[in-house]
Amino acid sequence: MAVAASAAHGHATHNPVRFNRLGLWLFFFSESILFGLLLTTRFFLEGIEREHVDQHLGLAITIILLLSSLTAFTAETAIEHNNQRVANWFLMATIVLGIIFAAGVGFEWKTAEFSRHEAFGSVFFTMTGIHAAHVVSGIGILFLVWIQLKRGKFNSKNHWPVSGSVMYWHFVDVVWVFFYPALYLVK
Amino acid sequence: MHIKHLIPAAVLWVIITAVGELLVIANLYPTVGSLEADDFDWIFRFLLAIGVPVFAFVIAAIVYSMYAFRSAKGDEMGSTIRGNGWFPRIWLIVTGGLAAFVMVFPGLTGLQKLQSDRTAYGWGDTEADVVIHATGAQFNWTFTFADGTEVNIIKGKELVLPVHQKVRFNIDSVDVVHSLWIPAFRMKIDAIPGRTTYMTVEPTVKGSYAEDQSFRVQCAELCGLDHSVMNFPIRVVEKPEFDQWLASLKTGAK
Amino acid sequence: MYAAKSVSGGIGLGLIGFYLGLGFIALLRWTLGYPEPWGGEINIIGGYIFGLIGWLMGVGMWGIWGREWFGQRTYPRKAPGWQRYFTFNTDHKVIGVQYTVTFIIVFLLAGALAMMMRLELANSGMQFLSHAQYNGTMSLHGTLMIAVAVAAVIGGIGNYAIPLLIGAEDMAFPRLNALTFWLVPPVAVALLSTPFLGGMETGWTAYPPLSVTTNSAQIMFDLGIITFGLTSILGGLNFLVTIMFMRAPGLSWGRLPIFVWAIFATSWIALLYTQGFAVALLLIALDRVAGMAFFNSTAGGDPLLYQHVFWFYSHPAVYIMVLPGFGMALEIIAHFSRKPLFAYRYAVGAFLGILGLSGVVWAHHMFTAGIPNYLHGPFLVATELISVPTGLVFLSALGTIWMGKLWLKTPMLFALAVIFNFGCGGVTGIFLADVPTDIHLQDTYFVVAHFHYTIVGGEIFGLFAGIYYYFPKITGRMYNETLGKLQFWWMFIAFNVTFFTMHLPGVQGMNRRIADYQSGLDTVNLIVSLSGLFLGASFILFVYNMINSWIRGPLAGDNPWQVRTLEWQVSSPPPLENFPTPPVVQGHPYDYGVPGSVHGVFPGQKLGGVPVVGGGGGQ
Ligand SMILES: [Cu+2]
Ligand SMILES: [Cu+2]
């Protein structure tokens, strides 16, 4: 019966958000292997050895990134409830926190006491670098979404771009939850 | 209905297998120059003997079906057997059994022999009679004996080994990954910068590269421009002759 | 001219992007105070990335997709007739043809390189190539053929057939699909530029430290292959969502055509493992351009790290290559035997079993690489285990042809050859999985023969089976059957003579990837070279048959093979969005000869004399 209704165009039966959500999850699976291999590389080359890193800075940027996930979540919840003002502010806050995180990584790079020409340095700069590249791309995506949000394009019925970019942001955050102990806390 | 086809198909299988098993008897191998080579040839033949009937089964099934079940036009329907019954289970048991068999023998048992820490054989760990340090470099080999004597493309120009002695190579590389392979001995292992790998061989026949090209050290891992010519002649001689050769190199050095 | 507009737009913006990227990096380096702004490879990387984006946008992605990111209205570039093949077209049928034709061209090109190699290897001593030229030729042959093997069947036949087979109007993400195709030309450009940068030296495996110290051809290889990996991942993702969500009503997992199952398993492997190759090459690029020390043993790195990461992808990659070939072969064998696919559930189990095991066997490529002793045993066992699910594919194929009515058309011959060839490739695989034999055979021509049997014999034969099978559907015309059969027997015999013989020099002491060999191996190499050249010639016949039949072949009709699956129930070629009335599936696709059974029905139409009512439940 539902079939007959959609006879003219199959599209009618498909729910694009459902597609997008699964697609994004699959993308996360794939990316997890990327990050997992980088983690493996770290332990393969260095075991549980670690050079000296700035613990305060590491902790600070970690807290900032976790906070940004919270603001992103708030923004998503707000747009689901049609509250565009709150969504607007919290999305902006997420972007700002993301920029602070990226700047923190940049500062860490400048002040690092080890060289990239040695194994630990290679591992550290590559892992933080690849992760930071994801953060920066996340900032870019959030920024594009934020502009559309400000123009009032999203509401409780139509907010996939917000949800999708926030999901991506959470994912990048979760990756850091694994990277942070591997780079800062081990031993 | 099956029987009518099973018998001729089985006959075909037996015939193809019989022809294929000739490969087992055939001498496809280079000179057997070491204990390890002896084992390799034996295991290779054993796997061939098992593998031939497997491949022959596939060939026989396809060839017989193409002949007996062909249909000139596409409008006839085949029988509707689906294969949900006992046959797939038998198949699983047989193939699983075969896989388990070659896994254990000659797989794991052969591996056990190769890696035993009580013998100087293959990748075994025990002291050998002669220890040679082999270093790979683009695109040369250098061999250093325990007493410090060096053999390379300029000095010595060939590697002489004593027959019936256990010869251990400790191998490393100064630049890229190479691989030390001696076809007559059927042994190889990579030369990797930053770590030392090893292998032990026991030459069992005398021979030399001049008469038999399988007596050579060959680089078997692509290492750049002249990889293909990165080889080094080997000559296997009696122990006294080997000692003499080693001594002559030393006097030559002074 | 839409086609000209797309292609010239892509090339134009690509070039502009390339130079912008070069300059941008130079500017960045100048600002940061590096001594040489035109530092070399880092500039190339910038140029490549900018050029890639420029190319994609210029070729039509901007109008159809990019504008949306900035809140603007999108407009597709609707090109008529043949021109749509040269635009950013989102129709899966167009993309399937784009993939197939592109990779056939790459296949012929890489095949020509193989002919050069065989000419050089016809006799010991150097014939007409230098060592550097031979290494470059060999590396490019390997790399291009790997690309063909990874993408031709899944990208070409898969894209064309999967939505049709499952009764969908397109893929789940049509624009993403177009993107995966248009990422391919830059890959080709990157790889084909390598001879001008000195030629690749490392083969497609790119082992460090050599790949770190070698010439700049390596960086183009890295960039090209990482891009190619991206198409593989995105393509796999697209197939997975499509197969999970877009099956026609009633098309339950148990009724899925076996080729769809094969693509499903393959897509998982592509999605998950391809990252391994990307990581491996990324680390090499970082060692090269940033002086990092991943593979520099004097600074704490380890060359073996690369081999682990690389083979973590590259073993599963052989299943990305071979599973679609298996799927295609089983699909065709069932239809052309006019018989239900034998042990369907076991065949599905085989694909899923291979998917599960593919990730835990990689170190069998490293048995002689100096890995710790305790790794050999587990990887030997896991590798041998894979022969069990692989055996189930044989069970299904051989069980299907037994007591069938074999219609030996060209696609069927190729499909049977897949099973035949893989029989040989599977048996020789045992020799390489067992360490005691691998220790001698590793890195010899025995390995070369083995993987040509599995990849060419198992997949490329499947690709040809698929092309002949779908040719009437794609073009609406029938190829010349006599020429098709002639090509089959020609290719089959030449292939087997070439590669069966090739095992022998391997056993006798000829290592692979060498420009020259010992004079004692002259005779056997001459035989291999002659039959290899003969094999190469067989493809001329194929190209002629395809082009000629596409232009003036007789009309094929909608269902020339009298096959039950959905794609054959629509016109040839199928209309845009595939099904004028969406299909409903009521039975198994392979129930030939089962009284009263139907696979797909179209509500409101009559099919196979069975009156049809709407609905059909499920999904
Ligand atoms: Cu070499
Ligand atoms: Cu493998």
Coordinates of all heavy atoms in Angstrom, one line a residue, chain C residues 580-611:
Chain C
P580 N 10.1 2.4 -14.0 CA 8.9 3.3 -14.1 C 7.9 2.9 -13.1 O 7.2 3.8 -12.5 CB 8.4 2.9 -15.5 CG 9.6 2.4 -16.2 CD 10.5 1.7 -15.2
T581 N 7.7 1.6 -12.8 CA 6.9 1.2 -11.6 C 7.8 0.5 -10.7 O 8.5 -0.5 -11.1 CB 5.7 0.3 -12.0 OG1 6.2 -0.6 -13.0 CG2 4.6 1.0 -12.6
P582 N 7.9 0.9 -9.4 CA 8.9 0.2 -8.5 C 8.5 -1.2 -8.3 O 7.4 -1.6 -8.2 CB 8.7 1.0 -7.2 CG 8.0 2.3 -7.5 CD 7.2 2.0 -8.8
P583 N 9.6 -2.1 -8.3 CA 9.3 -3.5 -8.2 C 9.0 -3.9 -6.7 O 9.4 -3.2 -5.8 CB 10.7 -4.1 -8.6 CG 11.7 -3.1 -8.3 CD 11.0 -1.7 -8.4
V584 N 8.4 -5.1 -6.6 CA 8.2 -5.7 -5.3 C 8.7 -7.1 -5.5 O 8.4 -7.8 -6.5 CB 6.7 -5.7 -4.9 CG1 6.5 -6.5 -3.6 CG2 6.2 -4.3 -4.7
V585 N 9.5 -7.6 -4.5 CA 10.1 -8.9 -4.6 C 9.3 -9.9 -3.8 O 8.9 -9.7 -2.7 CB 11.5 -8.8 -4.1 CG1 12.1 -10.3 -4.0 CG2 12.4 -8.0 -5.0
Q586 N 9.0 -11.0 -4.5 CA 8.2 -12.1 -3.8 C 8.9 -13.4 -3.7 O 8.3 -14.3 -3.1 CB 6.9 -12.2 -4.6 CG 6.0 -11.0 -4.6 CD 4.7 -11.2 -5.2 OE1 4.5 -12.1 -6.0 NE2 3.7 -10.3 -4.9
G587 N 10.0 -13.5 -4.3 CA 10.7 -14.8 -4.2 C 12.2 -14.7 -4.4 O 12.7 -13.6 -4.6
H588 N 12.8 -15.9 -4.4 CA 14.2 -16.0 -4.6 C 14.7 -15.7 -6.0 O 13.9 -16.0 -6.9 CB 14.7 -17.4 -4.2 CG 16.0 -17.4 -3.5 ND1 17.1 -17.6 -4.2 CD2 16.3 -17.3 -2.2 CE1 18.2 -17.6 -3.3 NE2 17.7 -17.4 -2.1
P589 N 15.8 -15.0 -6.2 CA 16.2 -14.7 -7.6 C 16.6 -15.8 -8.5 O 16.5 -15.7 -9.7 CB 17.4 -13.7 -7.4 CG 17.9 -14.0 -6.0 CD 16.7 -14.5 -5.2
Y590 N 17.0 -17.0 -7.8 CA 17.5 -18.0 -8.7 C 16.6 -19.3 -8.8 O 17.1 -20.3 -9.1 CB 18.9 -18.5 -8.1 CG 19.8 -17.3 -7.9 CD1 20.2 -16.9 -6.6 CD2 20.4 -16.7 -9.0 CE1 21.1 -15.9 -6.5 CE2 21.3 -15.6 -8.8 CZ 21.6 -15.2 -7.6 OH 22.5 -14.2 -7.4
D591 N 15.3 -19.1 -8.5 CA 14.5 -20.3 -8.5 C 14.1 -20.7 -9.9 O 12.9 -20.8 -10.2 CB 13.2 -20.1 -7.6 CG 13.6 -20.3 -6.1 OD1 14.7 -20.7 -5.8 OD2 12.7 -20.0 -5.3
Y592 N 15.0 -21.0 -10.7 CA 14.7 -21.5 -12.1 C 14.1 -22.8 -12.0 O 14.5 -23.7 -11.2 CB 16.0 -21.5 -12.9 CG 16.5 -20.2 -13.3 CD1 17.5 -19.6 -12.6 CD2 15.9 -19.4 -14.3 CE1 18.0 -18.4 -12.9 CE2 16.4 -18.2 -14.6 CZ 17.4 -17.6 -13.9 OH 17.9 -16.4 -14.2
G593 N 13.0 -23.0 -12.7 CA 12.4 -24.3 -12.8 C 11.5 -24.7 -11.6 O 11.0 -25.7 -11.5
V594 N 11.4 -23.8 -10.6 CA 10.5 -24.0 -9.5 C 9.1 -23.5 -9.9 O 9.0 -22.4 -10.3 CB 11.0 -23.2 -8.3 CG1 10.0 -23.5 -7.1 CG2 12.4 -23.7 -7.9
P595 N 8.2 -24.4 -10.0 CA 6.8 -24.1 -10.5 C 6.2 -22.9 -9.7 O 6.3 -22.9 -8.5 CB 6.0 -25.3 -10.3 CG 7.0 -26.4 -10.1 CD 8.2 -25.8 -9.5
G596 N 5.7 -21.9 -10.4 CA 5.0 -20.8 -9.8 C 5.8 -19.8 -9.1 O 5.3 -18.9 -8.5
S597 N 7.1 -19.9 -9.1 CA 7.9 -18.9 -8.4 C 8.2 -17.7 -9.2 O 8.4 -17.7 -10.4 CB 9.3 -19.5 -8.0 OG 10.2 -19.4 -9.0
V598 N 8.1 -16.5 -8.6 CA 8.5 -15.3 -9.2 C 9.5 -14.6 -8.3 O 9.5 -14.8 -7.1 CB 7.3 -14.3 -9.4 CG1 6.5 -14.7 -10.6 CG2 6.5 -14.3 -8.2
H599 N 10.4 -13.8 -8.9 CA 11.3 -13.0 -8.1 C 10.7 -11.6 -7.9 O 10.2 -11.2 -6.9 CB 12.7 -12.9 -8.8 CG 13.7 -12.0 -8.1 ND1 14.0 -12.1 -6.8 CD2 14.4 -11.0 -8.6 CE1 14.9 -11.2 -6.4 NE2 15.1 -10.5 -7.5
G600 N 10.8 -10.8 -9.0 CA 10.2 -9.4 -8.8 C 8.9 -9.2 -9.6 O 8.7 -9.8 -10.6
V601 N 8.0 -8.5 -9.0 CA 6.8 -8.1 -9.8 C 6.7 -6.6 -9.7 O 7.2 -5.9 -8.9 CB 5.6 -8.8 -9.1 CG1 5.7 -10.3 -9.2 CG2 5.4 -8.3 -7.7
F602 N 5.9 -6.2 -10.7 CA 5.6 -4.7 -10.8 C 4.2 -4.5 -10.6 O 3.4 -4.8 -11.5 CB 6.2 -4.2 -12.1 CG 7.6 -4.4 -12.3 CD1 8.2 -5.6 -12.7 CD2 8.5 -3.3 -12.0 CE1 9.6 -5.7 -12.8 CE2 9.9 -3.5 -12.1 CZ 10.4 -4.7 -12.5
P603 N 3.7 -4.0 -9.5 CA 2.3 -3.7 -9.2 C 1.7 -3.0 -10.4 O 2.2 -2.0 -10.9 CB 2.3 -2.9 -8.0 CG 3.6 -3.2 -7.3 CD 4.6 -3.5 -8.4
G604 N 0.6 -3.6 -10.9 CA -0.1 -2.9 -12.0 C 0.4 -3.5 -13.3 O -0.2 -3.2 -14.4
Q605 N 1.4 -4.3 -13.3 CA 1.8 -5.0 -14.5 C 1.6 -6.5 -14.4 O 1.4 -7.0 -13.3 CB 3.3 -4.7 -14.8 CG 3.6 -3.3 -15.2 CD 5.1 -3.2 -15.5 OE1 5.9 -4.0 -15.1 NE2 5.4 -2.2 -16.3
K606 N 1.8 -7.2 -15.5 CA 1.7 -8.6 -15.5 C 3.1 -9.1 -15.8 O 3.8 -8.6 -16.7 CB 0.7 -9.2 -16.4 CG -0.7 -9.1 -15.9 CD -1.6 -10.0 -16.8 CE -3.0 -10.1 -16.2 NZ -3.8 -11.1 -16.9
L607 N 3.6 -10.1 -15.1 CA 4.9 -10.6 -15.3 C 4.9 -12.2 -15.3 O 4.4 -12.7 -14.3 CB 5.9 -10.1 -14.3 CG 7.3 -10.4 -14.7 CD1 7.9 -9.3 -15.6 CD2 8.2 -10.5 -13.4
G608 N 5.4 -12.8 -16.3 CA 5.5 -14.2 -16.3 C 4.2 -14.9 -16.1 O 4.1 -16.0 -15.5
G609 N 3.1 -14.3 -16.6 CA 1.8 -14.9 -16.5 C 1.2 -14.9 -15.1 O 0.1 -15.4 -14.9
V610 N 1.9 -14.3 -14.1 CA 1.3 -14.3 -12.8 C 0.7 -13.0 -12.5 O 1.3 -11.9 -12.6 CB 2.4 -14.5 -11.7 CG1 1.9 -14.5 -10.3 CG2 3.2 -15.8 -12.0
P611 N -0.6 -13.0 -12.3 CA -1.3 -11.7 -12.0 C -0.7 -11.1 -10.7 O -0.4 -11.8 -9.8 CB -2.8 -12.1 -11.8 CG -2.8 -13.6 -11.5 CD -1.5 -14.1 -12.2

